[in-house]
Every structure is written in C-alpha cells, then in structure tokens.
Amino acid sequence: MLKRKPLTALLGLTLGLVGPLPLLAQTDASDSQRVGNMQFGNSLDPTGWGAFATPDPAGMSYLHPNQMRTPTGALYPYPHQIPDAAPLGTGDWVYSGLVEFGYMHASGDRNDEFFQMYSDWKNGPVLSMLAFSALNQKTGQYVDFRGSRISSQDQYYRLRAGSYGDYHIEAFYRDIPHTLSTTAYPLWNGVGSTDLTLPNGLATGATPAQVQAVEANRPRQTLGVTRQSEGVSWESALTTNWIGYAGVTNEHKTGDRDWGGPEYLSYFFTTPGPGGLGTPSIPGTSGGQYDTVRPVDFTTTDVNLGLRNKGGASGWLFNFTMTGSFFRDNKSTLDYAIPFAVTPGSNSVITGGTWSLEPDNNYYNVKLEASHPLPFWHGQFSISAAYSTMRQNDALQAPLSPMYCPTGQFIGTTGISCANWNTTAALSQQDGDARIDTGLLNLRLDFRPTAKFSWHFNFRQRDEDNMTRYTAYNPLTGQYGYVPENGAEPLATGGESELFQPGSPLYQSNFAQIASIPFIYDDRKTELGGSYRINQNNTLSASYLLDYETPRPRERTYINDQHLKLGWDTKSFGDATLRFSYEYQKRTGGPYNSNPYLDAYSPSQPGYVLPVNGYTAFTVAQMYMYDMSNLDASKLKAILTQPLGTTATFTATLYGNRLHYGADIGRQSYDTTGADFSWDWEPTATTSMSAHAGIESTRLKQGNVNDNEALTFSSPEQTDAQFGGPFFPFANFWTATDNERDIDAGAHFNHVFSPRVKFDLSYDYTYSRGLNSYNYASLGAISSVYLPILTAADIGNSFPTNVYRMQTLTGNLNLTLTQRVDLRLYGKYEMGNYADWNYAGFDIPADLVVGNRVYTELGPMPNWHVLLVGVFMTVKL
Amino acid sequence: MGIGWMAATRKRILDRNRARRATGVIALSLMVLLAVMTTLGGVLLWSSSVHAQQSDSANAGQPPTHQPSAPLTESDIARMLPPTDMDAGTSVHSDMRTSAFDEGHATPFDGASIPQNPLAPNADPIGAKSCVACHTLEDTQASHSLHVASFRASGSASAGPQGSCETCHGPGSEHAKNAAAPGLIIAFTHDSKTPAETQTHVCLSCHVGGARQHWLGSVHQERGVLCTDCHNPMARLSAEGVLANESINQVCATCHQDIRAQFNRRSHMPLPEGQISCVDCHNPHGSITKPLLKTDSVNETCQTCHAEKRGPFLFEHAPVAENCLNCHTPHGSNQENLLVLPMPMLCQQCHTNNNHPNDLLTRQNLRNGLAPDERVMGRSCLTCHSNIHGSNNPNGAMFHQ
C-alpha cells in the first residue's frame, strides 16, 4: 500500500507537523514561490475580480485630479468601488459580500473547438461570482472567499483566511476544461477505456470501403480533458524570524485525447490510381496507421514543506524547501483492435496493438537557499543547493499483446512465435527501475562598491545522473532487440531487422537497438556582469555568460555557449522610460559525431557480424541538431513607455532575433521581427479606453537530404554518410521554410454613465498566417515510391496556407436597480476562420479512412460564428 | 517545373493579395471601430462634463462632495494639520536591519520601522492623523487594500497603527511643512525624487526573503523595475497581491506586450481565459534561472503540471529529456500543442536518418493530394510515434508502443 499510496503517509506527516504549530507572527504569503494555482478566473471573468472593477468616481485623491503613474510611467487604474462593509455580530468583525448569478445562452457554432478550448460554455444557469470577505479590524483576522461556476467542469472556489502578519491558510477547489477536438468520429467502441474494440460488423481483414461505410456513420464526439484539483496550504511565523509553510495539492486529470496506432508504414505500398500514372493513388494494400483515442486518468499529489528565516542574529536569509510529487496513471495501457489486415490475403495474425501509457512516478526535491550580507562593498553572498530525484518502477508490459498475437501463432513467415513475445517472460527485467537524480549548486556574489557601480559573479553547476538501464534481451529466444509496431513490421516485410542474435545467420548482422540510452545533461554556467549609472537618468549594464554543457551520449561531448548582453535603461527622453537590450550569442563545441549511440546498438556487441554491404549509414554526417550545432545569434529588444499628458500612456516594444545555425542539414536559421504598440487613456475616473496592435513575423529554414534508397542493403555505398556522396547525394537535397505572420490588435472602452449605468466594450482581433514552402535540387528528394505518380508541377513549392483568424466583440451593460441589486447584460460575439493543411481534405467522416489508415478527427471547423449572451443579477450582501 | 512554379507563385501572390486585402479590410474595420469608440468616448465625456456642470448648477449652495472649492495653500495645510498622534520616543534613526535581526517577542510588522528619507534626513514622524488631514481620499481607498488594512489592525512594534503611512513613506514633518517640495516624503511613483534603492529598501524591510530571496540580481532589479511598477498598495485593484492592475497577467503585459500577444494564438496556455497566470511559472521577484522560473529548470516547471511527462521512461527522447522548449514554445503557437513548427518539419529538423524520415513531403501528400501519406496527414509523425515524450514499453525504442 505504501508503494501505491506514499502520499497518504506524507499527507499525514504534513498535517501532523503543521497541526500543532502555534500561529504567531510575522509572515507574509509568499505565493510567488509556489508553482501553479495562482490565478482563479474563467472566460466570463479572466481577472476573477471583474465584479468589483467598477471605478470609483471619487478617484484616488482630492489633491490631484488624475491618476499617478508607476515608476516606469504607466498609469495606475482608478480605484474600484469596494462594497461597504457591514458589522458582523456585535464584535469587531465587519463583512462584505457579493453574489452574481444568471443565465447564459450560446447560439451558432457553439461546438467549435476554439470557442470551447478552455471554457465549458453551456446553455444554463451560471454563478459568475460568489465573494465574501470578513475582517476583524482589531485583531487583523480575516476570511476571504471567491468562487465562480460556469459548469461542473469549469469552476473554482478559493478560501483564504488568517491573521495579518501572523498566519495564512488557503484552500481551493477547481475544474479547468481543455477541449481538444469537437470534430472527432472515433471508429472504435470503448473510447475513454483502455480497450478499443471494433464496432459491430467490422473485423480484422475488412476492406477500406467497408471501414469507410462504418466510419461515415460514427457519432461525433468531443475529446478533451478536465483538470480537477483541490489543495490546502498554510504559512505561519514560528518565531520572530522563522516562518514555516506547507501545502498539499491533489489533481485528477480525466478525459481522452487523440493517440496513435502503428501497424507499419502504408505509403511504401502506394500504387497509382485507377486512371493510371498521375491519378490519385489507392493505398491500402499493406501496413496500417490508426489515429486512436487514449484515455487520460491521472492523479498527481504534490506535497510541499518549508522553513525560512527572514534574517536572524547571524544575518542569514534562509529558505529550506522539501517537495514531493506523486503521479499515478490509473489507466496505464491501451489496447486497440485493427480493421485492416497488415498484409493482404494472408492469415495476418496481428489483429491489434497495445500501448504502454505513462508509468506512475515519484519526484522528490530538497532545496536550500541562503544569502548573507558581506562586510565590504555593500556585498551579498548567496548560495542555492538542490537535490532532486525522479523515479518510476512500474511493472513492464509484454512486448506483444496476447490478445492480438495469441500463443500458438507465428508472425507470417518470419518464424517469430507469438508465445515468445506475448508474456513478460520475454523480458530481461520485470519492472521499469528508472531513475534520474539531479544536483544543483548556485553561488552568487553581488557588490556595489559605489552608489553608481555594481557588479556580480554567478556560478551554477547542475549535474544529472540517469541510472535507467534496460537491455532489450529475450531470455526465451536468446535474442536482443524488439519486434516493432506490435509485430506488424516483420509481418509486412517478411523479416525482422530489429532483432540481433549472435551466432544466428538470420540475426547476427542486424543493426538493432538493444538497450536504452540514458541521456545525461550536465551544465555549468559562469557569469560576470555589472552596471554603471552614468547619471540619474541613464544606466548601462553588461554581462558575459559562459554556459559549458557536457551532454552524453550526444553528438558533441561538450558545448560552449557564450552570451554577451548589453543593456541601457534611460529616462533621458522627457518622461519616457526606455529599456534597450542586446544579446550576442555564440555557440561552439567539440567535434560533431553524427552517431554517438552505437553502444546501444548491436554492432557494439560481441558476435555481431558485419553484413557484406556493411550497415546503412545512421544519418548524414553533415546534419547538426539545432541544440548541438554551432550558433551565431543576435537578439535585440527595446521597450518604450511614454506618458502622454496626464491621462494617457503610449507603449511600444520593438524586437528582433537573428539565429544562424552552422548547418546545411538541419535547422539553418530562425529569425523573428516584431513590434507592439499600445495606448491607454484614463481621462476621468469614469472613463477609460485602450487600444493595442502588434505584428510579428518569423522565418525558420531547415535543410535535409533524402537517401538514395536504391542503395539500401544492396550496395556498400549505403555506409557512406557524407553529404554529396552516393548515399546522400546533393541531388536529393531539399529545404523547407516556415514563414509565419501574426497580427494582434484590440480596443477596450469602459464608461460609467451615471452611478446607475456602466458599460464596457472590447474588440479583439488575432490573425496568424503560416506558409510552409520548400525547394529541392531534384525529384530525388521525394520518396522513390512517388516517382511514378508525381511530377514537379504537382509538387509545387508550398503547402496550402495555414490561417487562424479570430475576432471577438464583448460587451457588458450594468444597471443598478437598487442600492444592493444590479442587473448585468453580457454579450460576446466571436467569429473566426481556420485552415491547417495537416487536416486538408478531411471534410466529412467518410474522409477519415484513407486506404489502410483510419483517422479520428476532421480538425477544427474552417469557419465559426458564435453569439453568447447572458443576463445576471448582482446582489451585494 | 518552371510552369508549375510560376503557377504556384501566381497562386501564392493571389493568396497573398487576398490575405492582404482581407488584412486591409480588417485593419480598416478596426480603425472604424476605434474611431467609433473614440467618438463614443468623446461624446460620453462631453455628456459627462455637461452632466457634471448641470449637477454643479443643481447643487449650487450645497457643500461640494469631493472637489475642494479652491486649491489649498501650504499655509492653509499647515494650519489644518492636527497635532501628531505618534507615540513619544518613536524614532526613525534606529537601524531597521539590526532591529529585524533581534530575536525576541514576535510582534506583527517588527520590520516596519519608519525608514529614513535621505532627502529629508531631519524629518520626524507626524502620525497618520496628520497625513489623513490632507490625504483623505487616499486614506479611504487605501483602507480597502490588504496592505494598509493589515497595518492598521496590527501596527508596527516601533510605530504603532498610527505609523501606517510613515512606515512606508518616511517621516512626514518636512513634507507637511512644504508639501510641494519634491523628495521630502518617500514617494513611489513616476515623478518621485526618492532614490530607487530607498524605495526598494522600504518594501524589502518587511517583505524580505521568501519569494524575494533572489530579488538582488534578478533581471527586474537590474533593469530598474521597482516594486510599485507591479504593486499598488494604496488601492484594492486586484483580488489579492495588491497589484497595480486587476490581475497578474495585466500587470505583466504592461511591459511584456509581445508575450501577451502570443497567448492569443491558435494553441496557447489558458491565460486569456483566466485559468492561469504568468506567476504560475515565473517568479517576477527573481530566481536562479534566467527566465525567472520558479523551479530550477524548464522541464521541472513544465512537469509540475504535466507530471506524466516526467517518466523516467525506459526509452527517452533526447530533446525531451534536455528541454521541453526544443519542440514547444511556452506561451502560444500557431501550431497545435504549442509546437514550434508544423509536423513533419518539426521532426525533420533532426531526423535525417535513412528510410522514411528524410523524404521531402509535399502538398500532394495531403488527404486531398495525389499521394496521401501518413507522415503528413492528421497528427503526422505522431500517428505512429505517439509516445514521443518517452516510452515505457519494451517495444518502445522508437516510441511506437
């Protein structure tokens, strides 16, 4: 039980420690230390505070008519009308509260994926806000509650209570929806379970036409997940300077989402269509791909315990944190039946597949942070040290499913017996036994020898130890390696190249992966920087960072990533604040080895016999992965905040990045250019208006080269990894460029007509356009199986344009009916259009069957219009 | 190929022109909308002004509600100030840090002694009653703020509840004598003459450590961002956090407009929907990572919510283990699932291996093309390599199972 429910024990321990602690003094809620659940809002009120956001016509001060500005220059909003507090009982407590409820109705394309993405809009009653605050003005004790409910899958409730400066407790419950597809037509029965079965009338061996006929009548479903979470946390002073804190959060994530199901490649078996060469092909003779649906049923419990010191007699600022996170996958496998035989006309023994979904895991982290003033140069020394470990030890699945490769059967003519692979006796170990430990040390010195000059030195070392070792060895057969794609690959190809067996003429020369690859990323960062204040209005800063990485086993044994950063902060242009940054990055490293993974492959094993023609080049030698390749980068950014008079602010952001990788094969460059502008206007406490517009363009270019497939296995030249050689000839080179253009604009208007009438209107516009173009040296760049079908004219130079455009107009009209009752009318009109070439041609459910391939979703709707209206009563308690 | 290329180019140009026209129409629509809204705003302002004038006329002879009848002179102010309500012996000259280090009886707001104002070193505290005599409305609004309300309830050990103004703004006697002279009171706004270090020191004297452990050296500190750029303790503008706007996300977007725009893209974190905030992942007060992450690495931050991606798996995918941002963009993307590029291009940046990964795939491989291909349609590479974040299946070396 402890293995499955360690969180129970930890929760008990937490409560045991927390419960008896005295609630004394001097704490402040350090929420920004905690990850997640910081924000409680929803689409109806993203701030979670909209019901209180009526500006107070009185403004902020009798001494000056307009609002003050932040140090940078932005205007503070006018203060809000906070409900008057009323006495609670006869003591010193006062309270205020507000409840807003109503009815919402959506018409039009209300099932659109983007409309529903993170909002569970439904026609029906809504509790848009329930808020209650109580305060003891003498003791400083307080209770604060906020909640909102759009639906049972889109709601939050949060309670905070405590005593100012003494202690703070918090509890919450929330549901966050995430709609992933509203146009899903899964072929299978059992969606959401761990077993997908074929609908009545279908069995393995069906024809595409038969499957298409069934698919055409499958019901439309929505795929999505909901995060339901609850948590409690506590923080309190233990003594004058010591503060303790703890928290427990439990999240249950449920639902279903698109997944896969490989039964070997289909495109190999493409043939020209019935009209001959150049007509649409009729795939569907071998292999098979299945776009299935997987269940999501996760439980994650996070426990956090900490102790910190605000600076005792020793002067140390100290923070010690222990974190435990326990993930449990309640549905950790997925089986699926397949409608198509992997090979035509034979007794295709493989009738389905299986997945291992994410294993249960535990994560632990302890962290100590401390800093202390130094006696000279107004210095400070800081140290952070952390240790974490991620572990999982789930029971492993058998390589093949006994249901879909039953005992007694053999995979085609390969001689591979299902019985040798469909039980865990086929494994070298029964459990995952996976573990990665990480250690971190960060040292920092800050000095300010003069009022104008400061400098710092930072050293950070982060090392990983990946202890996961798995050898793919089958003690039943004496073979290394595995049987890919649920056994479909050997069935389709008539042999198995992913198995290795010393001494076996059939398997002794196969290039097979026989072990896991435990990646390790060690990283040392050393930084020196400083700033100099030239005068009251200008500060220059500069820093140099050397990031020395030693990844293994990766293509480079070490990487030197150097960053030079320059900054200029100025208030020399009138009232404006300008922050200007420039960064130059240069990455180099050790010699590039395009295949550092041989230790995990059969050629590294005794008994491996090199084939007559050698083994196929793993990849082209000139390919540089973009996380390992050389890089020259320049990044520039300027942020201007310009006050305009006493009531308006203009803000502009200009930025550009130029990243050039030292690669012809792989990512070549990645450029970004953008600008954003905004204007905010607060002429009076009762009126505000803002507008913003921005544009960004990005361009990412990559290169690649098709291998000369005619040489594979048949010529010793298949071993030549050189770009320009016979196996990776220049003629097969191609490039692809992704050009993206984004426009974002909007305007917001808010006015209080009178104490009884308030109105706000917002318009938001988003437009994204993506064009994926390509160039190629010759038709050798495409798969050789398409050469009889496709011409250069057919191929063209780009995919269709991807588009995402959305416009939203949102309005609220608040009418005060009585001193305590308001009426709120809400309206939102959303329209958009969308195109994604990945889903081009999927128009009706029957389109989801393409030869031996079955897909599940049509993709988001190409056009949608939705009108959402609501009427709410607001009652001040 | 040449004719095909020309045709494709012509089509692209037509598409582009259509897109430009559409963009132009939209831009025009936006301008019209803005113009309408501006006009509406102007009309409303005018009507408000008329309404206000009418109200003034209607209320003639009655005492004004909020507006003073005439500006006060400094001597008026000095005459109106009530006597100080500060306790005898309250001092601003003690070393705050020393007092904060003293162990002893725990009293709320021990660290909140009255700070020295370097621009008014001889000023003395005068007490909140004196401050409120002029700053009446500020007092009303600030009383809704957690910050001031809490201070009033508990008070400071050295200054008491009556020190609730001056424990932040410094001693007020010089300011009271000469209210128009800048710098005689510690101020936190745009035109403040108070040195930035003094402003920050005031806040950190109480809010020391914890989430602010790494404030010194953080990018916000280095670039001159001050506490009151993000916080406004003088009014309750937000549900919590005494923010300078209604939500964390609006506060951050004040400067980070480019990042805000990313959240409006096709796939994004649920920030515009109010389900998450910038501070869910970032600590704006500083951390030991450059992007101000709350955890020690990108992956640890992502895995806080996506714990299933943690594994460790039998078979790891190198870029996943290294950094989630190798394939995903953290805020918003034009591709599905926050991907940097559409698939298969995303995968083909690294996978040039022989056989099926390195083929040029084209528009003819779409569902409605001449040669539909599973490497392009739908989920592309992920149709087969679904366990791309790692597989725990003995057959999962290629993330097929």
PDB file of all heavy atoms in Angstrom, chain B residues 383-399:
ATOM      1  N   THR B 383       1.273   9.985 -35.371  1.00  0.00           N
ATOM      2  CA  THR B 383       0.308   8.908 -35.567  1.00  0.00           C
ATOM      3  C   THR B 383       0.955   7.573 -35.189  1.00  0.00           C
ATOM      4  O   THR B 383       0.302   6.701 -34.615  1.00  0.00           O
ATOM      5  CB  THR B 383      -0.164   8.861 -37.033  1.00  0.00           C
ATOM      6  OG1 THR B 383      -0.618  10.157 -37.398  1.00  0.00           O
ATOM      7  CG2 THR B 383      -1.270   7.856 -37.219  1.00  0.00           C
ATOM      8  N   CYS B 384       2.218   7.435 -35.500  1.00  0.00           N
ATOM      9  CA  CYS B 384       2.917   6.195 -35.149  1.00  0.00           C
ATOM     10  C   CYS B 384       3.795   6.368 -33.905  1.00  0.00           C
ATOM     11  O   CYS B 384       3.847   5.507 -33.040  1.00  0.00           O
ATOM     12  CB  CYS B 384       3.785   5.729 -36.312  1.00  0.00           C
ATOM     13  SG  CYS B 384       2.827   5.261 -37.768  1.00  0.00           S
ATOM     14  N   HIS B 385       4.504   7.500 -33.836  1.00  0.00           N
ATOM     15  CA  HIS B 385       5.441   7.713 -32.717  1.00  0.00           C
ATOM     16  C   HIS B 385       4.723   8.486 -31.607  1.00  0.00           C
ATOM     17  O   HIS B 385       5.182   9.538 -31.166  1.00  0.00           O
ATOM     18  CB  HIS B 385       6.669   8.474 -33.209  1.00  0.00           C
ATOM     19  CG  HIS B 385       7.366   7.812 -34.370  1.00  0.00           C
ATOM     20  ND1 HIS B 385       8.269   6.783 -34.223  1.00  0.00           N
ATOM     21  CD2 HIS B 385       7.261   8.016 -35.709  1.00  0.00           C
ATOM     22  CE1 HIS B 385       8.706   6.396 -35.411  1.00  0.00           C
ATOM     23  NE2 HIS B 385       8.105   7.127 -36.338  1.00  0.00           N
ATOM     24  N   SER B 386       3.599   7.956 -31.161  1.00  0.00           N
ATOM     25  CA  SER B 386       2.756   8.724 -30.233  1.00  0.00           C
ATOM     26  C   SER B 386       3.425   8.934 -28.882  1.00  0.00           C
ATOM     27  O   SER B 386       3.212   9.953 -28.229  1.00  0.00           O
ATOM     28  CB  SER B 386       1.420   8.018 -30.033  1.00  0.00           C
ATOM     29  OG  SER B 386       0.797   7.788 -31.276  1.00  0.00           O
ATOM     30  N   ASN B 387       4.200   7.954 -28.452  1.00  0.00           N
ATOM     31  CA  ASN B 387       4.859   8.088 -27.148  1.00  0.00           C
ATOM     32  C   ASN B 387       6.141   8.910 -27.274  1.00  0.00           C
ATOM     33  O   ASN B 387       7.195   8.532 -26.762  1.00  0.00           O
ATOM     34  CB  ASN B 387       5.181   6.697 -26.577  1.00  0.00           C
ATOM     35  CG  ASN B 387       4.209   6.299 -25.479  1.00  0.00           C
ATOM     36  OD1 ASN B 387       3.630   7.162 -24.811  1.00  0.00           O
ATOM     37  ND2 ASN B 387       4.025   5.001 -25.277  1.00  0.00           N
ATOM     38  N   ILE B 388       6.038  10.026 -27.936  1.00  0.00           N
ATOM     39  CA  ILE B 388       7.231  10.787 -28.301  1.00  0.00           C
ATOM     40  C   ILE B 388       7.945  11.356 -27.075  1.00  0.00           C
ATOM     41  O   ILE B 388       9.140  11.669 -27.121  1.00  0.00           O
ATOM     42  CB  ILE B 388       6.846  11.921 -29.292  1.00  0.00           C
ATOM     43  CG1 ILE B 388       8.068  12.434 -30.036  1.00  0.00           C
ATOM     44  CG2 ILE B 388       6.134  13.066 -28.586  1.00  0.00           C
ATOM     45  CD1 ILE B 388       8.699  11.402 -30.942  1.00  0.00           C
ATOM     46  N   HIS B 389       7.237  11.496 -25.969  1.00  0.00           N
ATOM     47  CA  HIS B 389       7.897  12.020 -24.759  1.00  0.00           C
ATOM     48  C   HIS B 389       8.646  10.925 -23.998  1.00  0.00           C
ATOM     49  O   HIS B 389       9.300  11.214 -22.992  1.00  0.00           O
ATOM     50  CB  HIS B 389       6.866  12.670 -23.840  1.00  0.00           C
ATOM     51  CG  HIS B 389       6.236  13.891 -24.455  1.00  0.00           C
ATOM     52  ND1 HIS B 389       4.964  13.892 -24.956  1.00  0.00           N
ATOM     53  CD2 HIS B 389       6.725  15.135 -24.679  1.00  0.00           C
ATOM     54  CE1 HIS B 389       4.689  15.084 -25.442  1.00  0.00           C
ATOM     55  NE2 HIS B 389       5.735  15.860 -25.299  1.00  0.00           N
ATOM     56  N   GLY B 390       8.531   9.701 -24.482  1.00  0.00           N
ATOM     57  CA  GLY B 390       9.228   8.597 -23.837  1.00  0.00           C
ATOM     58  C   GLY B 390       8.302   7.397 -23.756  1.00  0.00           C
ATOM     59  O   GLY B 390       7.084   7.556 -23.625  1.00  0.00           O
ATOM     60  N   SER B 391       8.875   6.226 -23.854  1.00  0.00           N
ATOM     61  CA  SER B 391       8.061   5.010 -23.811  1.00  0.00           C
ATOM     62  C   SER B 391       8.548   4.089 -22.707  1.00  0.00           C
ATOM     63  O   SER B 391       9.749   3.919 -22.507  1.00  0.00           O
ATOM     64  CB  SER B 391       8.121   4.276 -25.153  1.00  0.00           C
ATOM     65  OG  SER B 391       7.474   3.026 -25.038  1.00  0.00           O
ATOM     66  N   ASN B 392       7.599   3.476 -22.037  1.00  0.00           N
ATOM     67  CA  ASN B 392       7.940   2.501 -21.007  1.00  0.00           C
ATOM     68  C   ASN B 392       7.626   1.093 -21.479  1.00  0.00           C
ATOM     69  O   ASN B 392       7.549   0.174 -20.688  1.00  0.00           O
ATOM     70  CB  ASN B 392       7.150   2.802 -19.719  1.00  0.00           C
ATOM     71  CG  ASN B 392       7.965   2.481 -18.493  1.00  0.00           C
ATOM     72  OD1 ASN B 392       9.136   2.842 -18.435  1.00  0.00           O
ATOM     73  ND2 ASN B 392       7.367   1.810 -17.512  1.00  0.00           N
ATOM     74  N   ASN B 393       7.467   0.962 -22.795  1.00  0.00           N
ATOM     75  CA  ASN B 393       7.158  -0.352 -23.348  1.00  0.00           C
ATOM     76  C   ASN B 393       8.445  -0.997 -23.856  1.00  0.00           C
ATOM     77  O   ASN B 393       9.267  -0.319 -24.490  1.00  0.00           O
ATOM     78  CB  ASN B 393       6.159  -0.200 -24.506  1.00  0.00           C
ATOM     79  CG  ASN B 393       5.583  -1.533 -24.938  1.00  0.00           C
ATOM     80  OD1 ASN B 393       6.270  -2.352 -25.533  1.00  0.00           O
ATOM     81  ND2 ASN B 393       4.317  -1.754 -24.612  1.00  0.00           N
ATOM     82  N   PRO B 394       8.646  -2.283 -23.601  1.00  0.00           N
ATOM     83  CA  PRO B 394       9.862  -2.950 -24.098  1.00  0.00           C
ATOM     84  C   PRO B 394      10.010  -2.857 -25.615  1.00  0.00           C
ATOM     85  O   PRO B 394      11.117  -2.973 -26.139  1.00  0.00           O
ATOM     86  CB  PRO B 394       9.673  -4.401 -23.649  1.00  0.00           C
ATOM     87  CG  PRO B 394       8.713  -4.332 -22.527  1.00  0.00           C
ATOM     88  CD  PRO B 394       7.807  -3.185 -22.809  1.00  0.00           C
ATOM     89  N   ASN B 395       8.900  -2.642 -26.316  1.00  0.00           N
ATOM     90  CA  ASN B 395       8.937  -2.475 -27.767  1.00  0.00           C
ATOM     91  C   ASN B 395       8.937  -0.998 -28.170  1.00  0.00           C
ATOM     92  O   ASN B 395       8.678  -0.685 -29.317  1.00  0.00           O
ATOM     93  CB  ASN B 395       7.703  -3.138 -28.409  1.00  0.00           C
ATOM     94  CG  ASN B 395       7.979  -4.577 -28.815  1.00  0.00           C
ATOM     95  OD1 ASN B 395       9.008  -5.131 -28.448  1.00  0.00           O
ATOM     96  ND2 ASN B 395       7.072  -5.177 -29.543  1.00  0.00           N
ATOM     97  N   GLY B 396       9.239  -0.134 -27.222  1.00  0.00           N
ATOM     98  CA  GLY B 396       9.019   1.292 -27.470  1.00  0.00           C
ATOM     99  C   GLY B 396      10.251   2.091 -27.811  1.00  0.00           C
ATOM    100  O   GLY B 396      10.263   3.320 -27.638  1.00  0.00           O
ATOM    101  N   ALA B 397      11.293   1.454 -28.322  1.00  0.00           N
ATOM    102  CA  ALA B 397      12.525   2.195 -28.612  1.00  0.00           C
ATOM    103  C   ALA B 397      12.270   3.342 -29.589  1.00  0.00           C
ATOM    104  O   ALA B 397      12.932   4.375 -29.537  1.00  0.00           O
ATOM    105  CB  ALA B 397      13.587   1.249 -29.168  1.00  0.00           C
ATOM    106  N   MET B 398      11.332   3.158 -30.505  1.00  0.00           N
ATOM    107  CA  MET B 398      11.000   4.216 -31.464  1.00  0.00           C
ATOM    108  C   MET B 398       9.689   4.907 -31.086  1.00  0.00           C
ATOM    109  O   MET B 398       9.075   5.558 -31.920  1.00  0.00           O
ATOM    110  CB  MET B 398      10.893   3.621 -32.881  1.00  0.00           C
ATOM    111  CG  MET B 398      12.199   3.089 -33.407  1.00  0.00           C
ATOM    112  SD  MET B 398      13.369   4.429 -33.625  1.00  0.00           S
ATOM    113  CE  MET B 398      14.906   3.517 -33.633  1.00  0.00           C
ATOM    114  N   PHE B 399       9.276   4.718 -29.845  1.00  0.00           N
ATOM    115  CA  PHE B 399       8.056   5.367 -29.307  1.00  0.00           C
ATOM    116  C   PHE B 399       6.797   4.927 -30.042  1.00  0.00           C
ATOM    117  O   PHE B 399       5.832   5.655 -30.129  1.00  0.00           O
ATOM    118  CB  PHE B 399       8.215   6.896 -29.329  1.00  0.00           C
ATOM    119  CG  PHE B 399       9.567   7.347 -28.850  1.00  0.00           C
ATOM    120  CD1 PHE B 399      10.442   8.010 -29.691  1.00  0.00           C
ATOM    121  CD2 PHE B 399       9.976   7.072 -27.559  1.00  0.00           C
ATOM    122  CE1 PHE B 399      11.709   8.388 -29.254  1.00  0.00           C
ATOM    123  CE2 PHE B 399      11.237   7.451 -27.101  1.00  0.00           C
ATOM    124  CZ  PHE B 399      12.107   8.102 -27.955  1.00  0.00           C
TER     125      PHE B 399
END
